């Protein structure tokens, strides 16, 4: 049987099966299910001897999401659906918290990411970390960070439409699993491909968008900021990014409504 491809319902079904199997394993590990499938646990907080203390149900959900994300990462690591798979050193599926309220989506891994297999670890990644921790006040480890395509395009060229399409199922599954409250979308390519528009990033940024029911905040990519040589222009663009981040912060804190 050929491996399931992104967008193939079999892949999504496999993810659901893996998540359910993981949940059942967790329940058995914590004695919430007996061999006959009956509940054997009890509510947390009871001190009666000889009984099993159950952890809160959201822990089980978290384990299930983490397993689902690992399943996606394993498929990405073996993927050859597009030409980018042949040229990579490492696939970069993404990383972060399975219960992140914020997802960060960039366009593609660069050289440092390709070498390490981790997203946003070069100079642009360090700027992203400062954006998250200094402006949004969210530790990097509490968000989930990924890209539109999971393998590095040669010479850091833009990913092509067929490559974005081939990879899109992985991103859809990651967003569905994490179910973030908001997405920070970095750069023209990420924003245009995610939102399915050709509008320039200078127009897209500055207002909240929506994708599959999730709030999307597009802004300039840190790598773009780093490339600007005119100091005055760089500072002006940084002010705009800061505005976008503050709008996102306000939204996450509930000031901007659902
Ligand atoms: S970029 Fe995406 S679709 Fe292409 S080989 Fe890598 S994981 Fe597969």
């Amino acid at each position: 049987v050929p491996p399931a491809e992104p967008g193939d319902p079999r892949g999504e079904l496999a993810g659901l099966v893996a998540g359910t199997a993981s949940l059942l394993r967790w329940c058995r590990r914590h004695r919430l299910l007996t061999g006959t499938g009956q509940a054997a646990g009890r509510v947390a907080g009871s001190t009666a001897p000889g009984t099993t203390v159950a952890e809160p149900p959201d822990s089980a959900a978290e384990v299930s999401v983490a397993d689902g994300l690992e399943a996606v990462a394993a498929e990405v690591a073996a993927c050859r659906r597009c030409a980018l798979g042949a040229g990579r050193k490492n696939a970069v599926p993404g990383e972060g918290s399975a219960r992140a309220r914020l997802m960060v989506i960039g366009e593609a891994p660069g050289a440092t990411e390709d070498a390490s297999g981790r997203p946003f670890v070069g100079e642009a990644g360090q700027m992203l970390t400062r954006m998250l921790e200094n402006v949004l006040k969210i530790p990097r480890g509490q968000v989930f960070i990924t890209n539109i395509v999971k393998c590095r395009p040669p010479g850091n060229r833009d990913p092509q439409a067929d490559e974005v399409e081939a990879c899109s199922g992985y991103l859809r599954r990651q967003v569905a699993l994490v179910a973030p409250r908001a997405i920070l979308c970095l750069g023209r390519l990420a924003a245009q491909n995610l939102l399915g528009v050709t509008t320039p990033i200078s127009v897209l940024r500055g207002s909240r968008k929506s994708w599959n029911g999730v709030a999307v905040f597009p802004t300039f990519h840190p790598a773009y900021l780093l490339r600007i040589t005119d100091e005055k222009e760089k500072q002006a663009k940084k002010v705009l990014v800061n505005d976008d981040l503050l709008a996102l912060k306000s939204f996450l804190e509930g000031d901007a409504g659902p």
Side-chain angles (χ1 to χ4, degrees):
V1 179
E5 298 181 342
D8 185 335
R10 290 175 306 159
E12 299 187 12
L13 183 60
L16 281 173
V17 170
T20 305
S22 163
L23 179 57
L24 289 172
R25 281 197 304 277
W26 184 91
C27 288
R28 289 203 179 96
R29 214 161 46 230
H30 292 268
R31 300 183 194 175
L32 293 175
L33 291 178
T34 66
T36 57
Q38 294 171 322
R42 64 179 179 82
V43 293
S46 168
T47 55
T51 53
T52 303
V53 177
E55 292 185 8
D58 62 339
S59 294
E62 199 179 318
V63 168
S64 179
V65 170
D67 282 357
L69 290 170
E70 280 180 25
V72 172
E75 287 179 45
V76 166
C79 182
R80 290 289 187 275
R81 284 206 71 208
C82 80
L84 299 182
R88 71 187 178 211
K89 287 195 183 87
N90 290 290
V92 186
E95 67 181 23
S97 170
R99 57 178 180 182
R101 295 175 68 237
L102 175 65
M103 271 185 91
V104 177
I105 300 177
E107 62 184 56
T112 317
E113 290 75 20
D114 183 51
S116 66
R118 296 182 57 213
F120 281 91
V121 289
E123 201 179 348
Q126 290 163 22
M127 183 182 279
L128 170 64
T129 301
R130 291 195 297 275
M131 287 160 56
L132 294 171
E133 300 191 346
N134 297 347
V135 184
L136 294 177
K137 309 293 183 192
I138 302 175
R140 179 178 164 123
Q142 287 183 13
V143 306
F144 191 90
I145 303 174
T146 189
N147 285 296
I148 293 279
V149 295
K150 317 300 189 191
C151 303
R152 183 193 181 203
N156 287 352
R157 67 158 169 76
D158 290 352
Q160 295 169 354
D162 61 325
E163 294 160 350
V164 171
E165 174 57 28
C167 214
S168 61
Y170 297 129
L171 181 64
R172 280 200 300 272
R173 285 164 60 193
Q174 287 173 320
V175 175
L177 283 162
V178 176
R181 180 152 163 74
I183 292 171
L184 175 62
C185 202
L186 298 175
R188 171 182 62 88
L189 271 160
Q192 290 181 345
N193 281 297
L194 189 72
L195 299 171
V197 297
T198 55
T199 314
I201 184 65
S202 56
V203 176
L204 286 173
R205 64 144 299 276
S207 64
R208 189 174 94 215
K209 310 288 188 278
S210 178
W211 181 73
N212 286 354
V214 182
V216 177
F217 290 78
T219 196
F220 297 113
H221 197 291
Y224 167 70
L225 298 179
L226 290 167
R227 282 197 304 271
I228 300 175
T229 52
D230 183 277
E231 201 51 41
K232 209 169 160 188
E233 186 191 349
K234 182 180 285 203
Q235 284 311 316
K237 290 291 191 305
K238 281 187 174 179
V239 168
L240 295 179
V241 170
N242 199 58
D243 289 347
D244 294 335
L245 294 175
L246 290 176
L248 169 58
K249 183 171 187 282
S250 177
F251 176 81
L252 288 172
E253 290 174 353
D255 297 343

